[in-house]
């Protein structure tokens, strides 16, 4: 006796038990409804967009990616953590750096420092951390401009770095940041109109949460009525519609309760609720239709008593529902084979929801029918919505055998036709069965089986091969919900700033011996960067920023070391103080000497100090000017010192040529060929206000590690994926760089690694899942043919769907790597 025989024997006892204990069944599902309505919304509020790899059993490159990500977060939290982005832009498209912008940033910094609880907001990064406008330079060096200035200079980016624990207080942190920006906007009230917009990871998480709840609301408010309307068309009975209305609603509530339960043990990814809602809706409609359609055949067509009909329906349709549910559950359980928590969460949630739907249909429908048999026995209508319509000749079966009489159509009331002999043999001789449209279409398909097979093969040959050339992507753009402010902000930022600048590839460099702040390490890093550049020949690089590579050129630590002393962020305040003290101690006759000194200084650097002040740059006070002049005179090279400063003012672009290297070289030359007092005087003038110390602290950890930002033009494209594969395969040999330990991290590489790793399991999971489902079908129906047919049709369906996706999306945005799973 097979599995089906056991079920047939068990069915009478099962149905009778449901009838006898109907109050227990009703109470049980009533408790489920209460729990689902209470806890379901809580699950939707705690969704996450994070995807984490389950480390056991992962491949070497995935382990390397995870290790590098952990190191980066520990050493450089401001680079590795999520951020809230603020875009400050001028409405008139003028240069955005001015007094208003500086005051706006100061307000944000003050609000962040006062934010409580401490530790959730790690700090503010802006252009003013590294550079401030002066009387000589109103625009920043190129390497600093690339980090913060967008839209041809009319907008700047300000970032608030977030501790990852902020996700536990997402709404609170989000509201607080919005309030900070609103408060800072009060500093923008002036004739120059400026606009501040908030976006970034913080707002995207919040909008994703809202979008998921909106998607589920659409499923409930739009899809559910459509499904119910289709069932109503089929059953044509309001009384019968009570049954699917209850089972479908109960299924949706139970699915949210299951999602909440799963979220207690693992993060609930934002894709899971929508997926579960869609699967639940589809399966609950299907299974109630399977069950009630068989019940309708028994009661309306065969006039079977309702209590007997419910047992027959449970034996047949119930068995089909169980087999289908088990097969689908196995398909979703197979997601747990992927070592990614989002996949495990989706697999468990969907599989458990499907089995719950099976249980609901096998218990609720028989219980309702057995509790009110007379009510439901008189609720059926014969036929379907096409009853009485004439069948089109193209699908009207002809009479088989020796009968010459054509199929008989009765126009008007019943729409019967004489079935062909093969169909007659399957019908009860005592209870003639009405042949409907779907029966006729099925027979036509059987008659035209060779035509159907040929058509399917042609379709497969045209579409399915595209599956092999599917272009996948892990770009966040593909999964951005449309119409939400943070998503619009992200797309605008990508267009003006670039994906690679938002999600850069981070090359983590560690010194095996000694400090990274040495010429030897910088030279070794230069050789490594040149090697990286060679391997990236097929990938377009947008920019590279690191201590050893600034503004398009390689630097030395000795160059930067000079710059550290010259550009320490105080804009010459320290040097002006020194000169004031020197002046105070050296002047005996204050009035006489000061007048003579001022006259001499005025002749020496008149061109430097008398020029017009650029808009938005504070005028230097007279004492500071005098201090600068005095510093220039002390080395008896006033004219040379003033000439160098005049040249810096007249040619601001040349002053940072090429980048830091040019400045440091000129400053080094001045320091060696002239007197140190010249440098002191030049710094005191405040002509250049850079903070190299801040940059070093941002890019160096414990003097043993540093990081280089590589911004790719297409950080999630095939070229980047190919390069990453080659990198993990050893395209850059570590033994060639004995001074350095290097690794790759960042949002882009980490997601690409997960994409590659996940898709590498894809064929194995399909094979395992297909085999498991085939075994279930074989055990259920004791037929090898059914199992093989199921495998072939599913393979065709999967190939066709992915082929269509590939043809539509591969040449545009790409297919997101989560879709195939």
């Amino acid at each position: 006796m097979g599995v089906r025989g056991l079920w047939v024997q068990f069915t009478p006892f099962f149905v009778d038990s449901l009838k006898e204990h109907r109050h227990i069944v009703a109470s049980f599902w009533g408790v489920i409804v209460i729990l689902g309505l209470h806890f379901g919304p809580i699950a939707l509020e705690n969704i996450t967009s994070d995807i984490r790899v389950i480390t056991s059993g992962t491949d070497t490159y995935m382990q390397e990616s995870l290790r590098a990500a952990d190191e980066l977060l520990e050493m450089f939290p401001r680079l590795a953590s999520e951020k809230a982005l603020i875009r400050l832009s001028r409405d008139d498209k003028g240069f955005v750096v001015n007094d208003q912008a500086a005051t706006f940033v100061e307000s944000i910094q003050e609000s962040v420092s006062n934010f409580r609880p401490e530790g959730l907001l790690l700090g503010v990064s802006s252009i003013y951390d590294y550079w401030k406008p002066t009387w000589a330079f109103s625009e920043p060096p190129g390497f600093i401009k690339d980090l913060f200035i967008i839209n041809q200079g009319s907008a700047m980016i300000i970032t608030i770095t977030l501790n990852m624990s902020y996700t536990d207080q997402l709404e609170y942190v989000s509201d607080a940041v919005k309030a900070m920006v609103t408060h800072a906007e009060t500093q923008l009230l002036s004739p120059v109109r400026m606009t501040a917009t908030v976006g970034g990871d913080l707002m995207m998480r919040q909008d994703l949460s809202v979008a998921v709840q909106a998607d589920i609301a659409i499923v409930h408010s739009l899809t559910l009525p459509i499904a119910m309307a289709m069932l109503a068309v089929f059953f044509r009975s309001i009384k019968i519609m009570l049954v699917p209305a209850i089972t479908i609603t109960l299924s949706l509530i139970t699915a949210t309760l299951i999602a909440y339960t799963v979220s207690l043990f693992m993060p609930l990814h934002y894709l899971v609720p929508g997926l579960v809602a869609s699967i639940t809706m589809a399966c609950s409609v299907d299974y109630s239709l399977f069950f009630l359609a068989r019940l309708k055949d028994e009661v309306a067509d065969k006039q079977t008593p309702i209590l007997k009909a419910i047992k027959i329906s449970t034996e047949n349709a119930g068995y089909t529902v169980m087999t289908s549910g088990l097969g689908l559950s196995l398909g979703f359980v197979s997601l747990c084979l992927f070592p990614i928590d989002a996949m495990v969460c989706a697999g468990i949630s969907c599989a458990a929801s499907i089995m719950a739907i099976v249980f609901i249909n096998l218990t609720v429908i028989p219980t309702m029918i057995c509790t009110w048999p007379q009510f439901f026995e008189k609720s059926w209508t014969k036929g379907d919505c096409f009853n009485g319509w004439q069948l089109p000749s193209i699908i009207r079966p002809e009479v088989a055998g020796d009968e010459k009489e054509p199929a008989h159509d009765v126009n008007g009331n019943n729409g019967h036709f004489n079935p062909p002999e093969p169909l007659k043999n399957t019908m009860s001789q005592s209870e003639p069965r009405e042949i409907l449209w779907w029966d006729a279409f099925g027979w036509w398909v059987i008659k035209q089986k060779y035509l159907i097979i040929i058509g399917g093969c042609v379709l497969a040959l045209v579409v399915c091969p595209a599956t092999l050339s599917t272009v996948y992507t892990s770009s966040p753009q593909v999964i951005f919900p449309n119409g939400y402010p943070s998503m619009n902000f992200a797309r605008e930022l990508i267009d003006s700033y670039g994906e690679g600048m938002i999600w850069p590839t981070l090359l983590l460099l560690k010194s095996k011996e000694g400090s990274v702040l040495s010429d030897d390490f910088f030279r070794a890093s230069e050789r490594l960067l040149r090697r990286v550049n060679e391997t990236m020949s097929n990938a377009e690089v947008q920019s590279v920023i690191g201590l050893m590579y600034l503004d398009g050129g390689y630097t030395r630590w000795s160059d930067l070391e000079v710059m550290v002393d010259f550009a320490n962020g105080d804009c010459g305040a320290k040097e002006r103080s020194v000169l004031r003290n020197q002046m105070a101690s050296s002047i005996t006759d204050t009035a006489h000497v000061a007048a003579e000194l001022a006259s001499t200084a005025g002749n020496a650097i008149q061109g430097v100090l008398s020029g017009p002040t650029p808009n938005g740059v504070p005028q230097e006070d007279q004492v500071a000017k005098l201090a600068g002049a005095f510093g220039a005179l002390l080395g008896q090279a006033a004219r040379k010192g003033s000439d160098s400063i005049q040249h810096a003012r007249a040619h601001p672009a040349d002053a940072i040529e090429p980048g830091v290297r040019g400045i440091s070289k000129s400053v080094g030359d001045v320091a060696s060929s002239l007197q140190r007092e010249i440098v002191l005087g030049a710094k005191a003038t405040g002509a250049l206000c850079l903070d190299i110390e801040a940059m070093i602290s941002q890019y160096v950890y414990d003097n043993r590690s540093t990081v280089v930002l590589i911004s790719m033009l297409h950080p999630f494209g095939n070229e980047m994926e190919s390069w990453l594969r080659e990198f993990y395969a050893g395209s850059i040999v570590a033994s060639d760089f004995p001074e350095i330990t290097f690794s790759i991290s960042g949002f882009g590489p980490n997601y690409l690694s997960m994409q590659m790793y996940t898709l590498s399991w894809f064929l194995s999971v399909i094979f395992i899942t297909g085999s498991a489902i085939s075994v279930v079908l074989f055990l259920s129906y004791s037929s090898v043919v059914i199992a093989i047919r199921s495998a072939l049709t599913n393979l065709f369906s999967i190939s066709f769907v992915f082929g269509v996706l590939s043809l539509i999306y591969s040449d545009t945005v790409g297919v997101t790597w989560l879709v195939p799973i």
Side-chain angles (χ1 to χ4, degrees):
M1 180 182 297
V3 177
R4 179 173 176 80
L6 293 174
W7 173 251
V8 170
Q9 287 190 349
F10 175 71
T11 298
F13 169 77
F14 176 68
V15 174
D16 291 339
S17 298
L18 291 176
K19 180 180 179 181
E20 182 178 354
H21 301 96
R22 56 187 178 275
H23 300 296
I24 297 177
V25 174
S27 300
F28 174 80
W29 290 115
V31 171
I32 294 296
V33 168
I34 294 173
L35 294 175
L37 292 175
H38 177 72
F39 291 107
I42 297 177
L44 298 181
E45 294 173 359
N46 295 326
I47 63 172
T48 179
S49 58
D50 297 332
I51 298 180
R52 296 182 176 88
V53 175
I54 302 172
T55 55
S56 59
T58 56
D59 289 347
T60 303
Y61 72 85
M62 195 69 249
Q63 292 175 347
E64 171 65 18
S65 176
L66 294 173
R67 183 193 60 77
D70 291 339
E71 280 189 345
L72 185 70
L73 186 61
E74 177 186 356
M75 298 177 183
F76 302 98
R78 287 202 174 191
L79 294 176
S81 298
E82 294 188 0
K83 300 172 180 66
L85 301 180
I86 303 170
R87 180 183 60 199
L88 183 63
S89 56
R90 281 185 60 156
D91 294 354
D92 62 0
K93 305 302 180 183
F95 189 58
V96 69
V97 179
N98 56 22
D99 288 345
Q100 290 173 263
T103 307
F104 178 90
V105 172
E106 289 175 3
S107 176
I108 295 293
Q109 290 174 329
E110 182 181 358
S111 298
V112 169
S113 63
N114 295 330
F115 179 78
R116 296 296 180 273
E118 293 186 43
L120 278 184
L121 305 184
L122 300 180
V124 179
S125 296
S126 72
I127 192 171
Y128 298 106
D129 293 339
Y130 306 130
W131 172 86
K132 294 181 179 66
T134 67
W135 57 270
F137 298 102
S138 59
E139 292 199 14
F143 66 94
I144 295 178
K145 191 173 183 178
D146 289 344
L147 286 173
F148 299 101
I149 303 299
I150 61 173
N151 295 346
Q152 291 78 47
S154 65
M156 70 166 65
I157 295 296
I158 305 157
T159 64
I160 301 176
T161 307
L162 308 167
N163 188 311
M164 286 307 298
S165 61
Y166 86 94
T167 55
D168 298 332
Q169 304 179 55
L170 179 60
E171 187 172 352
Y172 169 70
V173 175
S174 175
D175 291 343
V177 171
K178 291 177 183 176
M180 293 176 188
V181 173
T182 301
H183 173 70
E185 282 180 320
T186 60
Q187 311 298 325
L188 301 177
L189 301 177
S190 78
V192 179
R193 295 184 60 84
M194 306 183 77
T195 303
T197 310
V198 187
D201 301 304
L202 174 64
M203 300 305 162
M204 287 174 62
R205 279 186 181 270
Q206 188 178 45
D207 283 351
L208 275 175
S209 177
V210 174
V212 168
Q213 297 183 51
D215 289 344
I216 294 177
I218 290 177
V219 171
H220 292 172
S221 61
L222 180 62
T223 312
L224 182 58
I226 292 175
M228 296 301 294
M230 294 177 65
L231 290 175
V233 168
F234 180 80
F235 291 118
R236 295 189 298 164
S237 171
I238 295 178
K239 293 181 180 180
I240 296 302
M241 287 304 300
L242 293 174
V243 178
I246 291 175
T247 57
I248 294 172
T249 304
L250 187 56
S251 298
L252 291 171
I253 294 174
T254 304
T256 59
L257 180 60
I258 290 172
Y260 169 77
T261 305
V262 173
S263 70
L264 298 177
F265 302 96
M266 62 184 67
L268 186 66
H269 194 263
Y270 74 92
L271 292 176
V272 173
L275 180 62
V276 170
S278 301
I279 294 296
T280 300
M281 175 66 70
C283 290
S284 57
V285 170
D286 276 356
Y287 294 166
S288 62
L289 181 60
F290 291 168
F291 208 111
L292 293 176
R294 181 54 190 257
L295 190 60
K296 177 182 177 181
D297 288 343
E298 294 294 331
V299 176
D301 295 341
K302 300 181 180 181
Q303 303 300 314
T304 306
I306 188 70
L307 293 178
K308 180 180 179 182
I310 192 62
K311 292 181 180 179
I312 296 174
S313 299
T314 306
E315 288 177 2
N316 295 277
Y319 188 76
T320 302
V321 167
M322 279 198 308
T323 305
S324 172
L326 184 58
L328 279 175
S329 296
L330 283 175
F332 281 102
V333 166
S334 66
L335 293 180
C336 299
L337 297 175
F338 293 107
I340 297 177
D341 61 353
M343 299 298 99
V344 175
C345 180
I348 294 175
S349 300
C350 290
S353 298
I354 291 169
M355 293 311 299
I357 295 168
V358 172
F359 193 50
I360 288 169
N361 281 273
L362 289 181
T363 58
V364 173
I365 295 178
T367 301
M368 290 182 66
I369 301 297
C370 292
T371 302
W372 299 286
Q374 294 182 347
F375 177 82
F376 287 106
E377 191 168 21
K378 299 178 180 179
S379 303
W380 306 96
T381 56
K382 197 171 184 180
D384 59 15
C385 59
F386 299 108
N387 194 38
W389 288 23
Q390 179 178 344
L391 291 169
S393 59
I394 190 173
I395 64 170
R396 205 162 49 228
E398 297 179 356
V399 179
D402 296 331
E403 290 183 282
K404 303 300 182 183
E405 182 183 354
H408 176 60
D409 280 316
V410 179
N411 295 325
N413 295 321
N414 53 25
H416 292 302
F417 59 81
N418 290 331
E421 289 298 331
L423 266 181
K424 282 185 176 180
N425 295 334
T426 64
M427 297 168 55
S428 170
Q429 298 300 319
S430 59
E431 297 176 352
R433 178 176 178 271
E434 182 183 13
I435 306 299
L436 304 177
W437 278 55
W438 197 242
D439 300 305
F441 175 74
W443 183 249
W444 178 82
V445 170
I446 294 173
K447 277 190 62 180
Q448 307 297 332
K449 54 183 177 292
Y450 297 114
L451 178 63
I452 298 297
I453 292 174
I454 293 172
C457 291
V458 171
L459 192 62
L461 290 174
V462 171
V463 177
C464 295
T467 303
L468 302 176
S469 59
T470 301
V471 176
Y472 296 105
T473 179
S474 54
S475 172
Q477 288 193 74
V478 183
I479 55 177
F480 285 168
N482 292 320
Y484 289 86
S486 66
M487 310 309 163
N488 297 334
F489 176 90
R491 289 191 174 98
E492 292 171 4
L493 195 61
I494 288 170
D495 292 340
S496 59
Y497 199 41
E499 271 191 322
M501 295 296 292
I502 301 174
W503 297 293
T505 297
L506 303 177
L507 180 61
L508 185 62
L509 307 177
K510 298 170 66 176
S511 175
K512 291 184 178 180
E513 293 183 4
S515 171
V516 298
L517 303 179
S518 67
D519 281 344
D520 290 341
F521 183 84
F522 272 47
R523 279 191 291 268
S525 300
E526 178 180 340
R527 288 192 294 110
L528 176 62
L529 288 176
R530 291 186 185 277
R531 177 65 181 133
V532 169
N533 185 54
E534 292 173 4
T535 62
M536 283 185 167
S537 57
N538 295 324
E540 298 179 80
V541 179
Q542 185 175 355
S543 69
V544 178
I545 299 176
L547 294 181
M548 64 289 301
Y549 190 92
L550 292 173
D551 212 25
Y554 291 98
T555 64
R556 297 286 182 268
W557 166 244
S558 54
D559 301 333
L560 278 183
E561 199 170 17
V562 175
M563 278 298 298
V564 169
D565 187 46
F566 182 80
N568 56 4
D570 66 355
C571 304
K574 176 182 175 182
E575 287 70 29
R576 286 194 291 272
S577 177
V578 171
L579 291 178
R580 285 191 184 96
N581 294 334
Q582 290 179 355
M583 290 171 64
S585 62
S586 63
I587 298 177
T588 54
D589 188 348
T590 305
H592 175 73
V593 176
E596 183 179 351
L597 185 62
S599 175
T600 307
N603 293 331
I605 55 174
Q606 180 178 3
V608 179
L609 302 177
S610 62
T613 301
N615 292 333
V617 181
Q619 177 71 32
E620 292 286 330
D621 57 68
Q622 296 300 317
V623 176
K625 293 180 181 180
L626 189 58
F630 183 68
L633 291 171
L634 286 177
Q636 297 181 353
R639 185 164 300 281
K640 290 185 179 181
S642 62
D643 288 345
S644 65
I645 298 173
Q646 282 180 314
H647 180 76
R649 185 184 178 195
H651 306 282
D654 296 343
I656 316 293
E657 229 305 358
V660 174
R661 191 173 184 178
I663 293 180
S664 60
K665 184 176 185 303
S666 62
V667 172
D669 292 342
V670 170
S672 59
S673 62
L674 304 177
Q675 300 293 327
R676 180 170 177 77
E677 287 80 359
I678 295 294
V679 180
L680 186 69
K683 291 163 65 176
T685 63
L688 184 65
C689 192
L690 283 173
D691 194 347
I692 301 301
E693 286 184 353
M695 179 169 287
I696 291 176
S697 65
Q698 179 84 350
Y699 289 85
V700 174
Y701 173 78
D702 198 26
N703 285 351
R704 301 299 299 272
S705 303
T706 186
V707 67
V708 178
L709 280 65
I710 304 174
S711 300
M712 312 298 297
L713 194 61
H714 303 290
F716 304 101
N718 280 1
E719 298 85 1
M720 184 62 185
E721 180 182 344
S722 299
W723 177 81
L724 201 58
R725 289 183 185 277
E726 294 173 0
F727 178 84
Y728 286 129
S731 60
I732 301 177
V733 181
S735 59
D736 293 343
F737 306 95
E739 309 95 333
I740 302 177
T741 300
F742 54 91
S743 57
I744 290 290
S745 189
F747 180 88
N750 293 344
Y751 261 58
L752 276 174
S753 297
M754 280 195 288
Q755 170 185 314
M756 294 186 303
Y757 179 61
T758 303
L759 295 179
S760 69
W761 279 77
F762 192 49
L763 294 179
S764 300
V765 171
I766 288 180
F767 176 78
I768 294 172
T769 306
S771 301
I773 294 176
S774 297
V775 170
V776 169
L777 290 174
F778 173 74
L779 294 176
S780 300
Y781 297 102
S782 300
S783 172
V784 176
V785 174
I786 290 179
I788 295 176
R789 184 184 66 183
S790 173
L792 292 176
T793 54
N794 276 286
L795 179 62
F796 173 78
S797 299
I798 293 173
S799 301
F800 182 79
V801 170
F802 288 155
V804 171
L805 284 175
S806 180
L807 291 173
I808 295 175
Y809 294 110
S810 287
D811 293 333
T812 54
V813 296
V815 179
T816 180
W817 63 287
L818 292 172
V819 168
I821 304 170

